[in-house]
Amino acid sequence: MSYVTIDQVTKGYENQVVLNDISLVLKKGEFATLLGQSGCGKSTLLRSIAGLEDVDLGRILIDGKDITNLSPRQREVGMVFQSYALFPNMNVFDNIAYGLKMKKIKNIKSRVKKMIEMVDLIGKEESYPHQLSGGQQQRVALARALVMEPKVLLLDEPLSALDAKIRKNLQKELKRIQKELDITTIFVTHDQEEAMTMSDRIFVMNKGQVVQSGSPSEIYTSPVNTFVAKFIGNYNVCNMEAFRKLVRSTELKGNEVAIRPEVLQLVSVGEDSLDLQENWVIKGIIKDVSMTGNVLRYEVETEESVFLVDYLHHRGNMFEQGARVHILVPKKECIIL
Amino acid sequence: MKSSLTIHKVIVGLLVIYLLIPLVGTFLFSIAGKWDHTILPESYTMKWYIELFQDERFYDAFRRTLFLIVMSVGLSVVIMLPTIFIITVYFSKWEGLLQAVAMLPYGIPPIVGAVGLIKVYSDGPIQIAGTPWILIGAYFITILPFMYQGIRNSLRTLNAVQLVDAAELLGATKFQAFRTVVFPNIISGILVSTLLSVALLFSEFAFANLLVGGRFETLQIYLADKLNSSGHLTSAIVITYYSMILLLTGTVLKLTFRNEKYPVVSNKKRILSFFRKQYSHKNTTLEGEK
């Protein structure tokens, strides 16, 4: 059953289309992520749902009610901004209670207290925003949005200003609270790892359009085009003609082939144990080795292009720069685009 | 290193002396009895101040100046605050135009402006030439750059657009968002702009003299008139005037300094605590005196 419906929404600024005929449907309680590069329209779509931007065409429905032309205050959506947007003249309690006061809702004290407990800010009620850390400010912003019991929670890159460790913790917290309240959430980010970690469903956006949607696993393992393949997982995307030359095969069709770096294997030249039944084999030279914590990334130069090969970082996986290798490409893992 | 520091100190010292000598000289002249052939006055007296403070014309001039300032600055705040807020938050594409308009007074010399105003308002539907109302209009324009820059900078520093968005999403109307979130956070910016404008208008002479002159004698016109009668009295007026400006500047500086020190603390509370502090200080003095 659809809970949030974006129906053919289009928006433009001075001859430039920002949202191009976007349609998407979310179920109640779902955690959906709009993922894309800067300028792809994801924040504009979020702001359109919030009512902070008008749409030129299309409809937005929440729980069956058309909210396209309602003002932000009538939409029953909560939003957390990238820069938190806490009110500097109010302390934590007043910030969280603000919406309740505006709507003249009763039991303000108990509702705010409950929310402060939920976001783990007990003892900080009297603190002003400038006296809080970035993570604490984010919790206040979240509590301020949630205390209104919105039908939909909108999160506009709320974790991007935080350092890595706090971000990881808040990702878990956010997910926990979302599940606990069973609140439909739309999260905007340009960080694919964050999107994978948190989402039930991801909508990959490019140039004002949703180019692919699905579960994190579907998006990661089955990209539908070159953009998604490159954006979502550092895929090796190779021109089909060049790939045919490299693997000396004419049976492959399509325009391009995409292969994830972690499914490739490196074998030193001279080793005989090559499974030619299951794999293609490409000759190459290690051009560069870089380390991203637990992952070793090899750049292997071949006759036609450079391939990225990811290995878990342990002693047995070490290849020297300049070493001649064979790249084993599992046939099953080649995605034809 | 030490000698270069000494040179800096000497330069600063000389500059301070250069700037203070006229003031000190004026002050000494305002309390001098006889001062003809000596470096310092031969005798001291307060009679020029007594004479000044007993002159009804001085009080009248002061009242008129105050009236003009309160009207002009008040009008400016009432008109410019909502205008700048609305343009900044809802019609940002017009911001450039508003800025250009606000900066125009810098490009028009007072003499040109005054002649133009007299010509326009001498006849036609609004005949206000020679009345204080034309001066209020001219002052409104004169302080426009201060009011505009001060309020706009406060709004920008605050990120008012996003705060209004957040407040509206939480159920506030546009006016409620302005009243409860934006205004309390820019009040010290408004206050600083206001005090700067007041200080500027206190010393304004060109417009006052050309537009109304003796028909509505302001403090500056009174001062110019007294220049011809008694130098001592003029010095007393100048020192009184400087003291008032100093008081204003001190208040502005104090507020600005506190602003930098506590950038996001409630401005309402900040100003309240400022006045409370002044009040308690006054009380302490009174108790001490008892």
Side-chain angles (χ1 to χ4, degrees):
Chain A
M1 173 84 185
S2 64
Y3 191 70
V4 178
T5 306
I6 310 292
D7 183 20
Q8 296 180 304
V9 164
T10 298
K11 173 157 183 74
Y13 298 112
E14 292 166 4
N15 302 329
Q16 193 198 343
V17 179
V18 183
L19 300 176
N20 190 1
D21 198 23
I22 286 189
S23 292
L24 55 93
V25 173
L26 300 181
K27 284 183 281 186
K28 187 166 177 11
E30 203 171 11
F31 194 115
T33 296
L34 304 176
L35 175 66
Q37 293 165 324
S38 297
C40 72
K42 55 189 190 300
S43 286
T44 308
L45 180 58
L46 200 77
R47 289 176 62 82
S48 300
I49 298 168
L52 301 173
E53 300 277 355
D54 294 328
V55 297
D56 299 336
L57 288 170
R59 293 186 313 154
I60 299 167
L61 292 95
I62 293 177
D63 198 13
K65 184 180 170 187
D66 189 341
I67 60 157
T68 319
N69 297 314
L70 295 184
S71 69
R73 57 195 290 264
Q74 294 169 316
R75 295 194 176 207
E76 295 179 81
V77 298
M79 186 162 172
V80 177
F81 295 85
Q82 189 174 4
S83 60
Y84 321 132
L86 297 180
F87 307 136
N89 56 317
M90 296 176 201
N91 61 23
V92 169
F93 185 94
D94 290 336
N95 258 287
I96 299 172
Y98 183 83
L100 300 173
K101 283 179 190 166
M102 287 297 121
K103 291 206 165 176
K104 297 187 171 67
I105 292 169
K106 288 175 184 169
N107 306 326
I108 292 180
K109 214 167 180 178
S110 62
R111 283 177 73 164
V112 173
K113 208 177 152 196
K114 196 176 142 197
M115 207 41 74
I116 284 175
E117 275 170 24
M118 179 176 266
V119 296
D120 199 16
L121 278 172
I122 297 166
K124 294 282 178 192
E125 294 86 344
E126 296 295 317
S127 304
Y128 282 88
H130 76 280
Q131 294 166 325
L132 303 174
S133 67
Q136 287 170 331
Q137 288 186 38
Q138 193 53 268
R139 285 162 194 265
V140 179
L142 185 64
R144 188 178 67 174
L146 289 173
V147 77
M148 301 302 293
E149 296 174 1
K151 286 183 173 173
V152 179
L153 177 65
L154 307 172
L155 306 167
D156 189 6
E157 305 209 30
L159 309 175
S160 60
L162 303 169
D163 63 57
K165 200 178 170 188
I166 296 170
R167 193 162 67 230
K168 297 269 179 212
N169 286 339
L170 270 173
Q171 281 173 2
K172 283 184 194 166
E173 281 283 284
L174 205 57
K175 191 74 185 156
R176 174 187 66 79
I177 292 168
Q178 189 264 335
K179 285 286 164 214
E180 205 173 307
L181 299 174
D182 192 31
I183 184 167
T184 312
T185 304
I186 306 177
F187 183 79
V188 158
T189 184
H190 59 263
D191 183 339
Q192 71 271 34
E193 200 184 311
E194 197 166 81
M196 296 278 169
T197 315
M198 302 182 72
S199 320
D200 297 324
R201 205 133 58 97
I202 296 174
F203 295 87
V204 184
M205 289 183 67
N206 188 30
K207 293 176 184 166
Q209 287 182 309
V210 174
V211 287
Q212 187 175 0
S213 68
S215 69
S217 170
E218 281 166 5
I219 298 271
Y220 189 69
T221 56
S222 312
V224 292
N225 60 24
T226 311
F227 171 80
V228 180
K230 283 187 173 173
F231 185 66
I232 206 83
N234 293 309
Y235 270 76
N236 293 294
V237 179
C238 188
N239 178 279
M240 189 54 87
E241 206 180 316
F243 192 71
R244 280 197 210 105
K245 274 187 199 169
L246 282 172
V247 299
R248 294 178 196 86
S249 167
T250 50
E251 64 192 75
L252 291 158
K253 302 276 182 255
N255 296 322
E256 285 175 317
V257 59
I259 313 150
R260 296 203 309 276
E262 67 271 21
V263 300
L264 298 175
Q265 267 189 295
L266 296 178
V267 180
S268 300
V269 169
E271 274 191 38
D272 300 329
S273 56
L274 303 178
D275 181 359
L276 298 173
Q277 200 68 24
E278 300 289 324
N279 301 292
W280 306 110
V281 178
I282 303 169
K283 279 183 190 171
I285 297 169
I286 307 271
K287 196 181 157 197
D288 192 28
V289 187
S290 58
M291 202 252 300
T292 57
N294 59 340
V295 172
L296 274 176
R297 173 159 291 174
Y298 295 99
E299 274 184 41
V300 186
E301 192 167 30
T302 67
E303 281 173 18
E304 295 293 333
S305 63
V306 174
F307 281 78
L308 297 178
V309 181
D310 283 354
Y311 265 81
L312 274 177
H313 190 183
H314 58 76
R315 280 175 201 280
N317 289 341
M318 300 297 277
F319 288 90
E320 296 292 324
Q321 201 170 335
R324 292 182 173 278
V325 290
H326 283 130
I327 308 171
L328 294 187
V329 185
K331 291 178 182 175
K332 283 191 292 189
E333 300 288 354
C334 292
I335 299 165
I336 310 298
L337 300 172
Chain B
M1 185 78 179
K2 206 173 175 182
S3 68
S4 78
L5 254 181
T6 315
I7 290 168
H8 289 155
K9 282 180 185 170
V10 169
I11 292 171
V12 172
L14 284 172
L15 186 72
V16 169
I17 290 168
Y18 176 75
L19 292 172
L20 280 183
I21 276 180
L23 262 182
V24 172
T26 310
F27 174 67
L28 286 177
F29 200 60
S30 74
I31 55 167
K34 193 171 184 308
W35 194 7
D36 295 325
H37 310 293
T38 50
I39 293 175
L40 289 172
E42 289 167 49
S43 63
Y44 294 94
T45 175
M46 291 302 285
K47 76 169 182 180
W48 311 115
Y49 283 96
I50 294 165
E51 196 178 311
L52 174 68
F53 291 127
Q54 280 177 344
D55 187 359
E56 271 303 311
R57 264 182 74 196
F58 170 73
Y59 289 109
D60 286 343
F62 188 75
R63 267 196 293 273
R64 286 187 201 108
T65 307
L66 217 56
F67 167 75
L68 288 172
I69 289 172
V70 169
M71 287 297 285
S72 316
V73 175
L75 204 66
S76 186
V77 171
V78 169
I79 293 173
M80 291 312 288
L81 181 60
T83 308
I84 298 167
F85 171 73
I86 290 166
I87 296 264
T88 309
V89 176
Y90 299 107
F91 302 100
S92 51
K93 62 177 177 180
W94 297 106
E95 225 183 314
L97 182 71
L98 184 65
Q99 186 171 20
V101 169
M103 293 302 148
L104 269 180
Y106 279 133
I108 303 169
I111 181 90
V112 177
V115 170
L117 286 170
I118 291 167
K119 213 171 166 63
V120 171
Y121 293 106
S122 295
D123 50 21
I126 312 166
Q127 290 183 31
I128 52 169
T131 69
W133 305 111
I134 195 168
L135 202 53
I136 290 170
Y139 281 177
F140 177 89
I141 302 295
T142 308
I143 59 171
L144 205 58
F146 293 94
M147 298 306 289
Y148 173 74
Q149 286 295 347
I151 296 170
R152 193 198 60 155
N153 290 351
S154 300
L155 286 171
R156 283 207 173 163
T157 312
L158 183 65
N159 196 0
V161 178
Q162 202 160 73
L163 290 187
V164 171
D165 283 350
E168 281 195 69
L169 275 165
L170 290 165
T173 60
K174 285 178 171 49
F175 179 70
Q176 279 174 324
F178 174 75
R179 188 177 56 81
T180 56
V181 177
V182 177
F183 185 70
N185 286 298
I186 61 166
I187 197 164
S188 67
I190 298 168
L191 209 64
V192 169
S193 300
T194 305
L195 291 175
L196 278 172
S197 304
V198 170
L200 177 84
L201 293 184
F202 247 120
S203 58
E204 206 290 321
F205 175 71
F207 273 127
N209 191 36
L210 290 166
L211 292 175
V212 290
R215 277 166 291 185
F216 194 78
E217 194 179 55
T218 64
L219 211 54
Q220 290 299 320
I221 308 269
Y222 174 74
L223 175 70
D225 182 57
K226 287 291 171 192
L227 259 175
N228 302 323
S229 54
S230 162
H232 290 288
L233 191 63
T234 313
S235 299
I237 300 170
V238 167
I239 292 300
T240 310
Y241 157 76
Y242 266 117
S243 305
M244 284 187 289
I245 295 292
L246 203 68
L247 203 72
L248 273 174
T249 317
T251 315
V252 172
L253 283 176
K254 192 156 185 170
L255 281 173
T256 315
F257 177 70
R258 288 173 69 86
N259 229 4
E260 282 164 11
K261 209 171 171 187
Y262 310 107
V264 283
V265 176
S266 159
N267 290 292
K268 195 176 164 188
K269 286 187 179 171
R270 191 184 307 154
I271 286 157
L272 280 176
S273 76
F274 170 76
F275 285 117
R276 229 175 267 143
K277 219 175 189 178
Q278 302 295 312
Y279 179 71
S280 70
H281 175 71
K282 207 173 163 186
N283 273 358
T284 319
T285 320
L286 286 174
E287 278 160 21
E289 281 169 359
K290 280 175 193 171

